[in-house]
Amino acid sequence: MMFNPTDLLRPHLKQLVPYSSARDDYKGKDGVFLDANENPIGSITEENWNRYPDPYQLELKAKLAEIKGINAEQIFLGNGSDEPIDLLYRAFCEPQTDEVIINPPTYGMYKVSADINNVKAKEVLLTNQYDLDTQALLSAIQPNTKIIWICSPNNPTGNDVSLEKIEIILKGFKGLVVVDEAYIDFADRPSFTTRLNEFPNLIVLQTMSKAWGLASLRLGMAFCSPETVAILNRIKPPYNLSGLTQRTVLNALNNLEKKDQMVAEILENREELQNELEALEIVKRVYPTDSNFYLVKMKDAKEVYLKLIEKQVILRDRSKVVLCEDGIRITIGTKEENKKLIEELKKLSN
Ligand SMILES: Cc1ncc(COP(=O)(O)O)c(C=O)c1O
């Protein structure tokens, strides 16, 4: 039978009457707009922001579709990736009834969002090589399992999980498979967006917060089947992306070169940093990465973390995270920042 996400939808949402506005009926740009209780005079700022933004961000999606080589109907945009993560729970997971599967150690919001939505997140640990345990994953699936969350490249371990294993899950699971590619620009492989037409149950998450350097603007992207996009559109807050975000990102997308330059610089710094870290006596292991950070195992990680905070170098202590014992996550900084980091770590090595 053909996969249809509507079959997975929470029952009460099948009858939902979504919010509508007069601008669903009138699409023109010119007119006397007396429908939305806006201020007709202008804004208190120099630039005018007095009109509500496009709820479906069509101009932005058209540009993204061109860049990603997919259809605009396969794109959902949210206020950071955290919004589609939350909306997927709200659309498909009945509280206290449905389940999802996560693969710790992984990005924390899949579990936090499950907890907020009162949905059980079943944990299937990654292997010791930080790869998917496909056998354990497939046997953890129950009739009420709605979503499997896969993060690749994975946070906090940094590595891509094996792509063949993702494919096994996509083929072996009748629910939704999310592949979170927040760090894809730092990985040397094609995105799973190239496989969307093959797998109607695939949802690829990406973000403008990492390689594009726009974390403050909050823009997360979910690439998936048009049917899944339509479901998310029905339950999202009407104006979830500000006009400022839409306009700024649209301009940014015309500057792909700058993004590529920044990524190249970060990759160069990443390589340098690896060598410097590995030379340190307190460093036990630098894990291979496909992202803009390293997971590093250190002697006395917690101590290192606290000592570096005193020096105003802030790392992410992951030493209490399962399979990350003694682990610290280090974002690749600028050359100067990395130099300061290494200087401070050297002092601790003495
Ligand atoms: C794997 C992963 N997904 C999503 C996000 C969140 O991205 P956004 O800033 O778009 O909410 C992060 C942020 O650290 C992340 O590591």
Side-chain angles (χ1 to χ4, degrees):
M1 217 178 65
M2 272 288 290
F3 174 85
N4 183 352
T6 307
D7 298 337
L8 301 176
L9 197 61
R10 290 170 65 192
H12 74 288
L13 291 177
K14 291 185 181 160
Q15 282 86 45
L16 179 80
V17 181
Y19 181 79
S20 67
S21 87
R23 291 179 206 176
D24 295 328
D25 300 322
Y26 181 79
K27 304 279 187 209
K29 280 206 164 139
D30 300 319
V32 178
F33 290 99
L34 304 178
D35 60 307
N37 304 344
E38 297 152 336
N39 182 333
I41 302 164
S43 307
I44 60 163
T45 51
E46 265 174 43
E47 263 192 277
N48 276 337
W49 302 106
N50 53 326
R51 300 294 178 186
Y52 281 98
D54 175 2
Y56 299 113
Q57 311 102 14
L58 296 181
E59 224 181 317
L60 187 48
K61 284 180 184 172
K63 184 73 193 171
L64 275 170
E66 189 189 308
I67 292 175
K68 304 280 175 189
I70 58 174
N71 292 326
E73 294 73 31
Q74 292 172 305
I75 306 177
F76 175 83
L77 300 179
N79 184 15
S81 309
D82 293 336
E83 185 171 44
I85 292 171
D86 176 63
L87 288 176
L88 286 167
Y89 282 105
R90 293 211 267 155
F92 297 108
C93 301
E94 199 58 31
Q96 292 191 302
T97 304
D98 289 330
E99 292 184 1
V100 303
I101 301 177
I102 59 173
N103 302 274
T106 194
Y107 180 49
M109 280 309 290
Y110 315 138
K111 166 87 169 108
V112 172
S113 217
D115 289 346
I116 291 169
N117 286 287
N118 203 6
V119 171
K120 180 171 171 193
K122 196 180 267 182
E123 301 192 346
V124 175
L125 294 190
L126 293 177
T127 64
N128 286 332
Q129 284 72 45
Y130 297 145
D131 204 355
L132 294 178
D133 186 342
T134 32
Q135 288 245 293
L137 262 172
L138 291 174
S139 36
I141 294 169
Q142 296 294 321
N144 61 344
T145 306
K146 294 296 188 72
I147 304 173
I148 296 180
W149 296 93
I150 297 172
C151 189
S152 190
N154 185 43
N155 176 6
T157 60
N159 62 300
D160 251 331
V161 301
S162 110
L163 308 182
E164 298 75 38
K165 289 189 174 180
I166 296 181
E167 210 169 314
I168 292 172
I169 303 303
L170 278 162
K171 287 179 179 155
F173 179 48
K174 300 275 169 286
L176 294 162
V177 179
V178 178
V179 179
D180 186 343
E181 293 186 336
Y183 301 98
I184 183 69
D185 297 86
F186 307 104
D188 190 16
R189 64 153 171 103
S191 163
F192 262 88
T193 52
T194 54
R195 316 289 302 271
L196 281 175
N197 295 335
E198 234 174 296
F199 299 111
N201 59 340
L202 167 65
I203 299 174
V204 179
L205 293 183
Q206 291 183 9
T207 176
M208 299 299 288
S209 299
K210 310 294 174 183
W212 291 86
L214 296 172
S216 176
L217 281 185
R218 312 305 301 131
L219 183 88
M221 301 162 271
F223 305 109
C224 49
S225 72
E227 291 76 18
T228 307
V229 172
I231 287 171
L232 297 177
N233 276 339
R234 281 164 57 84
I235 66 166
K236 78 182 182 76
Y239 305 106
N240 61 328
L241 272 201
S242 78
L244 178 63
T245 299
Q246 294 187 44
R247 195 189 299 177
T248 314
V249 174
L250 196 56
N251 288 335
L253 292 176
N254 287 321
N255 204 353
L256 263 170
E257 268 169 41
K258 168 113 194 253
K259 189 266 289 180
D260 290 342
Q261 274 167 20
M262 290 195 290
V263 169
E265 191 175 327
I266 290 167
L267 292 181
E268 193 186 304
N269 294 352
R270 182 173 90 179
E271 209 174 305
E272 278 176 26
L273 190 60
Q274 177 182 356
N275 296 332
E276 308 216 45
L277 285 168
E278 280 174 345
L280 294 172
E281 189 254 328
I282 51 167
V283 167
K284 290 204 273 189
R285 181 158 181 200
V286 181
Y287 282 84
T289 188
D290 299 292
S291 349
N292 66 337
F293 58 87
Y294 279 112
L295 179 68
V296 182
K297 288 214 175 175
M298 305 232 181
K299 285 185 197 158
D300 214 345
K302 176 92 190 186
E303 177 77 4
V304 172
Y305 166 73
L306 292 173
K307 282 264 159 57
L308 261 72
I309 282 198
E310 280 173 23
K311 304 292 177 189
Q312 294 181 301
V313 177
I314 300 89
L315 309 177
R316 187 86 156 111
D317 177 18
R318 299 282 77 190
S319 59
K320 294 281 171 292
V321 173
V322 64
L323 295 178
C324 296
E325 295 74 17
D326 304 326
I328 292 190
R329 197 189 68 196
I330 304 179
T331 306
I332 315 298
T334 61
K335 287 203 192 310
E336 297 70 40
E337 289 170 332
N338 296 340
K339 191 163 162 253
K340 164 90 174 152
L341 165 76
I342 295 295
E343 271 169 21
E344 294 302 337
L345 286 175
K346 269 189 187 152
K347 288 184 202 160
L348 295 183
S349 294
N350 295 329

